[in-house]
Amino acid sequence: MKTQTASSSTAVALANPWSMVPPVGNLDAYITAVNRMPMLTLEQEQQFARELRDQNDLEAAGKLVMSHLRLVVSVSRQYMGYGLPQGDLIQEGNVGLMKAVKRFDPEQGVRLVSYAMHWIKAEIHEYILKNWRMVKVATTKAQRKLFFNLRSMKQGFKAEAVEAGSDTYRHSLSDAQVATVAQELKVKPEEVREMEMRMAGGDVLLDPTPSDDEDHAFGPIAYLADVNHEPTAQLETEQRERLATEGIAEAMRGLDDRSRRIVTERWLNVNDDGSGGMTLHELAAEYGVSAERIRQIEVAAMKKMKKALAEYA
């Protein structure tokens, strides 16, 4: 009777693989549900894989995926120590499983569980590297291999220290341990040191926002910023210098001799303390006109120069 019931539930699940996944619920409910999914026999797996390959049967693909969801849950537990939600790890692993199902060839002589393992781990690895730190700690293939193996090897060294009865454990690798890791993973010892340093480091906000407890938050932006070499500031400085030299000289060439001398004596021959230039009355006595007339000529010349400078800029 029990055998018939089990066979019946298996048949229902294979006919509609989505029927055993709850529409809502938490992560524990999901894990419980996928662990109840029936495993496929070799014959069933090959049959569904051929239907997907030859007929693009999406229902067959769904059966292959659903029967291996428990594998993704099992693999995700191996990466719980990175501080990332298991639900996200499972989700990324499921993406890898679907990619594996799409590419699986039943004629290769291997089970889907063996073939899918690589794809599941690859997607989880990519997710961890993207989200474990704001800045990637590993970019090349060798660095990725070192990243995921170094953590497990360090845990092994810690276990060996505990078994040996050591009261203290060094969080950083010793020279002998670095040499062991480098030899086993076929990398240079300095690469092991660099990766260990990257993994030990944390993220620091470039420009932290002050909180209630810390009104004057201090971040790297305070000592990394260099306004003197900021591109926009440099362009503005170059433009001001060009206007102060070439621009003014060009604008002065558009004035008549009297206006040019008045502007020169009133504005260009003045010292930093404001002394050295001729007054309106001194220029008025030189040209035999009133001081008001000199002021009017000066105002007209300045307007003409401003227009010339605007065109030059």
Side-chain angles (χ1 to χ4, degrees), residues 242-243 246-255 300-313:
R242 190 166 58 251
L243 288 175
E246 300 173 5
I248 291 180
E250 183 68 23
M252 290 286 285
R253 279 194 286 270
L255 302 177
M302 295 297 289
K303 287 182 179 180
K304 191 174 182 179
M305 288 185 66
K306 286 182 180 179
K307 182 178 178 181
L309 287 172
E311 294 176 353
Y312 181 84

Side-chain angles (χ1 to χ4, degrees), residues 34-259:
V34 299
N35 284 334
R36 290 174 180 171
M37 295 296 297
M39 302 293 290
L40 299 179
T41 64
L42 175 60
E43 292 75 16
Q44 290 173 327
E45 181 179 294
Q46 291 182 340
Q47 175 190 344
F48 295 144
R50 291 190 181 99
E51 291 175 358
L52 173 61
R53 182 194 62 187
D54 301 334
Q55 306 170 23
N56 196 29
D57 189 340
L58 298 183
E59 184 176 348
K63 294 172 183 177
L64 291 172
V65 171
M66 298 296 289
S67 63
H68 288 79
L69 290 178
R70 69 177 70 195
L71 172 64
V72 178
V73 173
S74 176
V75 174
S76 70
R77 293 195 181 100
Q78 302 173 20
Y79 300 93
M80 293 293 291
Y82 292 96
L84 298 172
Q86 186 183 11
D88 292 347
L89 296 174
I90 292 174
Q91 178 173 287
E92 297 300 321
N94 287 342
V95 172
L97 173 61
M98 288 186 284
K99 289 182 178 180
V101 168
K102 181 179 180 181
R103 294 167 173 81
F104 180 61
D105 184 357
E107 313 304 334
Q108 290 180 340
V110 297
R111 293 297 299 267
L112 177 58
V113 63
S114 301
Y115 182 79
M117 188 71 72
H118 164 76
W119 291 93
I120 296 170
K121 288 186 176 181
E123 290 296 323
I124 293 178
H125 286 184
E126 187 67 24
Y127 171 74
I128 292 174
L129 290 173
K130 285 183 178 179
N131 296 276
W132 191 61
R133 289 282 190 270
M134 292 178 65
V135 179
K136 274 193 173 183
V137 295
T139 54
T140 66
K141 184 177 180 180
Q143 287 177 341
R144 293 179 180 214
K145 179 181 178 182
L146 180 57
F147 173 83
F148 286 104
N149 284 278
L150 182 58
R151 181 172 174 271
S152 59
M153 293 184 72
K154 288 187 69 174
Q155 291 176 343
F157 292 141
K158 182 178 181 180
E160 290 177 0
V162 173
E163 291 179 2
S166 177
D167 296 332
T168 59
Y169 170 71
R170 292 180 53 182
H171 292 283
S172 59
L173 295 175
S174 64
D175 293 339
Q177 291 171 339
V178 168
T180 301
V181 174
Q183 182 178 5
E184 184 169 340
L185 300 180
K186 295 180 174 58
V187 295
K188 298 178 180 178
E190 51 267 28
E191 293 177 349
V192 177
R193 288 291 189 194
E194 181 181 357
M195 182 57 66
E196 184 185 22
M197 181 179 64
R198 290 186 183 186
M199 294 177 66
D203 295 327
V204 178
L205 289 177
L206 186 63
D207 187 11
T209 303
S211 60
D212 296 336
D213 299 331
E214 188 179 6
D215 295 335
H216 304 286
F218 183 80
I221 192 67
Y223 54 84
L224 291 178
D226 186 356
V227 296
N228 295 326
H229 294 86
E230 198 274 325
T232 304
Q234 282 188 304
L235 291 174
E236 291 177 353
T237 301
E238 293 174 0
Q239 185 178 25
R240 284 197 301 269
E241 292 176 353
R242 190 166 58 251
L243 288 175
T245 54
E246 300 173 5
I248 291 180
E250 183 68 23
M252 290 286 285
R253 279 194 286 270
L255 302 177
D256 58 79
D257 293 341
R258 184 173 62 172
S259 298

Side-chain angles (χ1 to χ4, degrees), residues 1-34:
M1 209 47 198
K2 290 183 179 180
T3 304
Q4 293 178 353
T5 304
S7 301
S8 176
S9 64
T10 301
V12 172
L14 292 178
N16 182 14
W18 307 104
S19 62
M20 296 193 68
V21 177
V24 293
N26 56 22
L27 181 60
D28 291 336
Y30 170 83
I31 294 175
T32 301
V34 299

